């Protein structure tokens, strides 16, 4: 069964322009954090500035940049079978009016997300430090072949999220605030939950926490990858000739057309380098930085034995 959170993470990345929610949800992450993804989990291994991979004096952090709030309110697979004003009665205060909504979720993983005042904080001098980071993270400080670096975080003054665990899940909410009238009330701090059914996750965060991020990932330079793939194809073709002369087995010509060449994403040419071929002087020839993508979001929901 597909993870109930996956649809939200994918939509979040696409609708906010490349931001990824922290995992677990509501955990915090900071600019300069570096991490790996293992068995679907984000494992934070350190911070560039705290661990002096980059001299803290060289840190140029750009704070509190406003983001487009419209991009930070969205839903998927949601309908509102009821929305209106209802009368209630309180023993002390007598009759009163309140807004009520029923939110219906079409399937497992359907969700609604609401936030206010999104802002971003980013490493402002990434272009100036990215090359020295490659050398330090792969050669002089660490020997990473795979690592992500958080370049930007986002937070909001408040956010709310509900994710369905099953088809036809429901959430019934209400608010006494008259300002909302018949408009949406999900996510407002005055809103109360009346009842819910088959909801996987429901959280209201009322403080600024850096729960969303953008990251760069270390990847092999395209030129090196293309050269390696070409060499691999040639070696595999030559191996057929060698095998025919070395082994006392009958190899028919059809075998030449049936060897498997993996896709680029499935192999790491660095594993085939000789002893000292990769060093501080050559690291920039082999590595570059790329934006974390939807493929990386998918990795957050891939578990391996």
């Amino acid at each position: 069964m597909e993870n109930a959170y996956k649809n939200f993470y994918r939509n979040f990345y696409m609708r906010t322009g490349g931001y990824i929610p922290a995992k677990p949800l509501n955990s915090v992450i900071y600019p300069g954090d570096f991490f790996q993804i293992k068995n679907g989990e984000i494992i934070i291994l350190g911070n560039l500035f705290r661990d002096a991979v980059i001299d803290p004096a060289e840190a140029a952090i750009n704070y509190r940049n406003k983001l487009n709030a419209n991009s930070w309110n969205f839903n998927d697979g949601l309908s509102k079978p009821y929305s209106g004003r209802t009368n209630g009665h309180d023993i002390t205060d007598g009759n009163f009016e309140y807004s009520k909504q029923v939110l219906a979720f079409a399937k497992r993983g359907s969700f609604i997300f609401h936030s206010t005042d999104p802002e971003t904080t980013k490493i402002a001098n990434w272009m100036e430090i990215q090359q020295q980071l490659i050398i330090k993270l792969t050669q002089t400080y660490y020997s990473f072949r795979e690592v992500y670096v958080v370049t930007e975080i986002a937070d909001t003054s408040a956010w709310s999220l509900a994710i369905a665990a099953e088809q036809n899940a429901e959430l019934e909410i209400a608010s006494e605030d008259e300002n909302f009238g018949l408009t949406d009330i999900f996510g407002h701090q005055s809103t109360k939950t009346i009842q819910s059914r088959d909801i996987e996750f429901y959280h209201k965060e009322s403080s600024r926490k850096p729960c969303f991020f953008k990251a760069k990932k270390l990847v092999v330079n395209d030129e090196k990858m293309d050269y390696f793939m070409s060499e691999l194809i040639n070696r595999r073709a030559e191996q057929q000739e060698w095998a025919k002369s070395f082994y006392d087995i009958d190899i028919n010509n059809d075998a030449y057309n049936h060897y498997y060449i993996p896709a680029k994403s499935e192999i790491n040419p660095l594993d085939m380098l000789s002893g000292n071929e990769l060093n501080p002087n050559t690291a920039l020839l082999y590595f570059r930085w790329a934006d974390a993508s939807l493929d990386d979001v998918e990795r957050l929901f891939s578990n391996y034995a």
Side-chain angles (χ1 to χ4, degrees), residues 175-193:
S175 172
E176 291 184 50
D177 197 317
E178 295 183 3
N179 293 330
F180 300 136
L182 297 180
T183 63
D184 292 333
I185 60 175
F186 180 82
H188 294 283
Q189 293 307 303
S190 65
T191 299
K192 302 288 190 293
T193 303

Side-chain angles (χ1 to χ4, degrees), residues 230-247 249 251-253 255-262 272:
S230 177
E231 285 291 297
L232 183 62
I233 292 169
N234 289 335
R235 282 176 58 84
R236 291 293 288 148
E238 291 167 0
Q239 182 169 327
Q240 303 306 316
E241 293 293 340
W242 170 83
K244 195 171 182 179
S245 63
F246 184 79
Y247 296 108
I249 56 178
I251 303 175
N252 77 40
N253 291 332
Y256 292 80
N257 301 318
H258 288 86
Y259 54 83
Y260 170 67
I261 299 296
M272 295 292 288

Side-chain angles (χ1 to χ4, degrees), residues 113-283:
F113 175 77
H114 179 276
S115 71
T116 54
D117 302 321
E119 296 179 346
T120 182
T121 298
K122 65 177 72 177
I123 299 175
N125 60 337
W126 173 257
M127 296 299 291
E128 287 74 35
I129 67 174
Q130 61 173 331
Q131 290 194 336
Q132 62 169 299
L133 271 181
I134 288 175
I135 296 170
K136 289 179 177 180
L137 291 175
T138 67
Q139 299 297 309
T140 57
Y141 282 51
Y142 302 96
S143 55
F144 288 117
R145 297 296 178 265
E146 176 187 315
V147 72
Y148 298 79
V149 174
V150 176
T151 56
E152 188 174 336
I153 60 92
D155 55 32
T156 65
S157 60
W159 62 268
S160 298
L161 170 65
I163 301 175
E166 301 292 343
Q167 182 179 0
N168 298 323
E170 276 193 358
L171 183 65
E172 188 176 344
I173 55 178
S175 172
E176 291 184 50
D177 197 317
E178 295 183 3
N179 293 330
F180 300 136
L182 297 180
T183 63
D184 292 333
I185 60 175
F186 180 82
H188 294 283
Q189 293 307 303
S190 65
T191 299
K192 302 288 190 293
T193 303
I194 299 175
Q195 62 179 355
S196 65
R197 184 181 75 238
D198 294 331
I199 298 296
E200 174 80 15
F201 180 86
Y202 183 31
H203 180 76
K204 296 171 68 174
E205 179 59 53
S206 58
S207 61
R208 284 197 176 273
K209 292 172 65 176
C211 299
F212 317 103
F213 68 92
K214 286 185 176 182
K216 298 285 187 180
K217 60 181 176 181
L218 192 69
V219 297
V220 177
N221 263 328
D222 294 334
E223 289 181 4
K224 292 295 183 183
M225 179 63 83
D226 291 339
Y227 174 79
F228 175 76
M229 292 299 295
S230 177
E231 285 291 297
L232 183 62
I233 292 169
N234 289 335
R235 282 176 58 84
R236 291 293 288 148
E238 291 167 0
Q239 182 169 327
Q240 303 306 316
E241 293 293 340
W242 170 83
K244 195 171 182 179
S245 63
F246 184 79
Y247 296 108
D248 187 18
I249 56 178
D250 205 12
I251 303 175
N252 77 40
N253 291 332
D254 234 14
Y256 292 80
N257 301 318
H258 288 86
Y259 54 83
Y260 170 67
I261 299 296
K264 287 183 180 182
S265 60
E266 296 174 337
I267 56 175
N268 188 343
L270 303 177
D271 295 337
M272 295 292 288
L273 294 180
S274 57
N276 198 34
E277 196 172 343
L278 180 59
N279 56 60
N281 296 319
T282 63

